[in-house]
Amino acid sequence: MKILAIESSCDEFSISIIKDGTILTNIISSQIEQHVNFGGVVPELAARLHLENISWVIKSALESSNTKIEEIDHVAYTEKPGLIGSLIIGKLVAETIASYIDKPLMPLHHIEGHIYGASIENEFVYPVLAMVVSGGHTQIEIVNSPNEFEVIGATLDDAIGECYDKVARVMGLGYPGGPKIDKLAQKGNKEAFIFPISKNDDSYDFSYSGLKTAVINIIHNLTQKGEEIPVADIAASFQYAATKIVEKKLEKAIIQFKPKTLTVAGGVSANSEIRNIIMSLGKKYNITNTFVPKMEYCTDNAAMIAKLAYEKLKSSN
Ligand code: KG4
Ligand code: ZN
């Protein structure tokens, strides 16, 4: 059984083909270079650039997997959430292919896809506790099957990656700022500044706008006084506050839900501290299936959508 999957929800246009659970190809056209000058993703530009990439991405996905379009049995695509212009393009491409070969369409959820990106190289044992940390989302989910996702907590305002990017912009580090802050944090003192650990309560929800404002205020105050900005110390103290809350909420969820798999997904899972937190919590609570997927499957990609489609079909047979 071959499934062709399309992911186009933000600034990546990607096509993957999966055969009986094995990813044959995962072609990703990334636009990061084109958005850098604007300090973030420009929705209209993202949709226009997708249009330029459709043909070569389809062609190279088929060629690199040695697949003829008629051999595809199902066409999966990201239906939501995401940038509307970008999503529509993915849907149109999916509908066109599916109607041409007269095969069923599978509209899928982007975040559920992110979670299944973690199951490409490691089989899930249920229940799964998944932390989704990206530029657009901060979410904890309990997954009982490829059809049962329970969102137990989400951000009430900014997503964690968005917070990293906005703080980095004020620090003059450029876009995307997450990796730059992470790198600087290694050289700084995390106790130099005390930033708020927001939503430090019994809920599983997150809030990052207060932390963002606190860091930006410190930078503005220092600038007004003409003082040098201790960028490494600010980065380290910010990273501590931003990730400590993830650790606290995850630990509480582990105790309550007793997962058999612990994992993380989304671009911020590249963060050194987030990775340490996941691995050390897995060790502390003896969760043998604890893993951090490789970056290709953490950031937006169609392989994660393909794997979700495959697992859904397998579970319905
Ligand atoms: O999942 P993703 O590629 O795109 C979205 O769907 O949002 O995530 C991108 C986000 C950006 O905010 C970027 O700054 C952040 O992931 N990021 C990091 C790191 N690497 C990427 N944030 C913190 N530390 C990192 N090492
Ligand atoms: Zn994403």
Side-chain angles (χ1 to χ4, degrees), residues 110 114 134-136 161-162 164-165 176-179 182 266-268 270-271 298-300:
H110 181 72
H114 263 306
S134 73
E162 187 183 352
Y164 264 90
D165 292 338
D182 191 11
V268 186
N271 184 269
C298 282
T299 50
D300 288 351

Side-chain angles (χ1 to χ4, degrees), residues 99-235:
S99 66
Y100 176 66
I101 56 176
D102 196 20
K103 292 289 159 62
L105 260 184
M106 297 180 73
L108 299 179
H109 194 280
H110 181 72
I111 305 296
E112 295 176 4
H114 263 306
I115 294 172
Y116 272 81
S119 84
I120 292 173
E121 294 174 303
N122 306 276
E123 278 300 308
F124 279 171
V125 181
Y126 297 98
V128 175
L129 177 60
M131 182 76 225
V132 181
V133 277
S134 73
H137 306 275
T138 318
Q139 236 168 255
I140 307 181
E141 295 205 24
I142 304 291
V143 186
N144 288 310
S145 83
N147 302 303
E148 290 166 78
F149 295 81
E150 189 192 346
V151 180
I152 60 164
T155 186
L156 303 176
D157 39 57
D158 291 8
I160 183 169
E162 187 183 352
C163 183
Y164 264 90
D165 292 338
K166 285 179 177 164
V167 165
R169 182 153 47 171
V170 177
M171 287 167 87
L173 300 175
Y175 174 82
K180 289 169 185 148
I181 292 190
D182 191 11
K183 203 165 164 208
L184 268 175
Q186 315 302 321
K187 293 185 273 179
N189 170 13
K190 67 177 194 266
E191 286 163 12
F193 296 89
I194 309 291
F195 290 128
I197 299 193
S198 311
K199 262 328 254 150
N200 192 6
D201 57 20
D202 274 350
S203 80
Y204 289 114
D205 289 330
F206 296 87
S207 165
Y208 279 100
S209 74
L211 172 61
K212 175 189 70 185
T213 309
V215 180
I216 292 174
N217 282 346
I218 288 276
I219 297 170
H220 284 164
N221 285 345
L222 291 169
T223 312
Q224 272 166 2
K225 285 191 220 152
E227 289 179 27
E228 201 180 318
I229 310 288
V231 277
D233 285 350
I234 291 182

Side-chain angles (χ1 to χ4, degrees), residues 67-109:
T67 302
K68 293 198 175 57
I69 196 86
E70 294 78 14
E71 292 167 23
I72 301 293
D73 301 295
H74 293 266
V75 180
Y77 70 97
T78 299
E79 182 191 30
K80 61 180 182 190
L83 303 174
I84 190 66
S86 296
L87 287 169
I88 287 172
I89 289 166
K91 180 182 164 83
L92 284 175
V93 174
E95 292 222 1
T96 307
I97 296 176
S99 66
Y100 176 66
I101 56 176
D102 196 20
K103 292 289 159 62
L105 260 184
M106 297 180 73
L108 299 179
H109 194 280

Side-chain angles (χ1 to χ4, degrees), residues 261-294:
T261 299
L262 175 65
T263 193
V264 65
V268 186
S269 54
N271 184 269
S272 57
E273 197 49 38
I274 294 278
R275 292 172 100 86
N276 286 341
I277 287 169
I278 300 289
M279 296 319 289
S280 57
L281 282 175
K283 206 166 165 196
K284 182 170 173 189
Y285 289 94
N286 220 358
I287 310 169
T288 341
N289 285 304
T290 298
F291 38 78
V292 179
K294 69 175 179 188

Side-chain angles (χ1 to χ4, degrees), residues 37-66:
N37 292 340
F38 301 98
V41 175
V42 182
E44 176 164 342
L45 181 60
R48 284 174 187 270
L49 291 171
H50 280 345
L51 289 174
E52 290 176 16
N53 290 316
I54 296 168
S55 301
W56 77 261
V57 173
I58 296 180
K59 195 160 180 274
S60 54
L62 292 172
E63 277 176 10
S64 60
S65 62
N66 208 6

